Amino acid sequence: MSELNQKILRSMDLFFSFSGLMLFFPLLLPILVFDSIGSRTLLFKQERIGRNQKPFILIKFRTMLPGTPSIASHLSSASAVTSVGKILRRTKLDELPQLWNVLKGEMSLVGPRPCLTNQNELIQERETLGVYDIRPGITGLAQIQGIDMSNPQLLAEVDARMLTTLNLKNYFRYIFLTLMGKGLGDKINLN
């Protein structure tokens, strides 16, 4: 991806993350209150791998019970998800606090989902393919195709393919498709 393309996408990230935080603030406050009733903690913070493999703290609304092991979502049990967490996950509202990560420059709206620091196979596959050259994202090509972190090689390949085709048109396409319900990568089966 060209440097100019990266600057344009970063400008879009700044605009949309700031706008989103302002727009959704009236919604964020009640979610914080309801979420705190169900799990006793407001936000979930977890170390993830970012651009150039620099660790950062990702924030989301807590959807799982405190003490749930720090493992990839596809490995988690649905019984660990709180009742409010089920609603937040289905509506993707649990992702809203990540707009702060985007605003800070740790993430983008579109990019490879940031993995956990203990997902060594995925880290290696992504490193080999140059996936860490850009910021991780809230959504991306793998998410709209329903590819989760259970197949590190496939995920890294799709992430690398996204990097070569990421432009303004695809940036908006991935966001739109996610908002329309296509962003299902790393989904926990809540049924």
Side-chain angles (χ1 to χ4, degrees), residues 14-70:
L14 288 170
F15 175 76
F16 287 118
S17 62
F18 180 77
S19 299
L21 286 169
M22 293 298 104
L23 178 68
F24 290 111
F25 183 76
L27 181 63
L28 290 169
L29 194 56
I31 290 173
L32 281 170
V33 171
F34 287 121
D35 189 54
S36 67
I37 293 169
S39 63
R40 305 267 189 252
T41 57
L42 303 177
L43 295 172
F44 173 71
K45 298 176 184 180
Q46 187 177 56
E47 190 174 55
R48 301 284 182 106
I49 303 294
R51 185 177 189 183
N52 300 319
Q53 294 190 41
K54 181 181 176 187
F56 72 99
I57 302 299
L58 176 131
I59 56 173
K60 295 175 71 168
F61 285 120
R62 180 174 286 284
T63 60
M64 295 190 185
L65 298 168
T68 300
S70 185

Side-chain angles (χ1 to χ4, degrees), residues 100-156:
W100 180 249
N101 291 112
V102 174
L103 194 62
K104 288 173 56 181
E106 297 165 331
M107 291 182 70
S108 174
L109 291 176
V110 175
R113 284 297 295 161
C115 63
L116 299 169
T117 58
N118 63 2
Q119 291 179 291
N120 298 322
E121 187 179 351
L122 179 57
I123 292 168
Q124 181 59 48
E125 292 287 345
R126 284 178 164 175
E127 181 179 14
T128 301
L129 297 173
V131 173
Y132 291 111
D133 292 347
I134 69 166
R135 289 176 183 88
I138 294 175
T139 192
L141 181 59
Q143 283 65 43
I144 65 167
Q145 291 184 351
I147 299 169
D148 66 19
M149 295 184 178
S150 64
N151 186 335
Q153 183 179 4
L154 175 62
L155 178 57

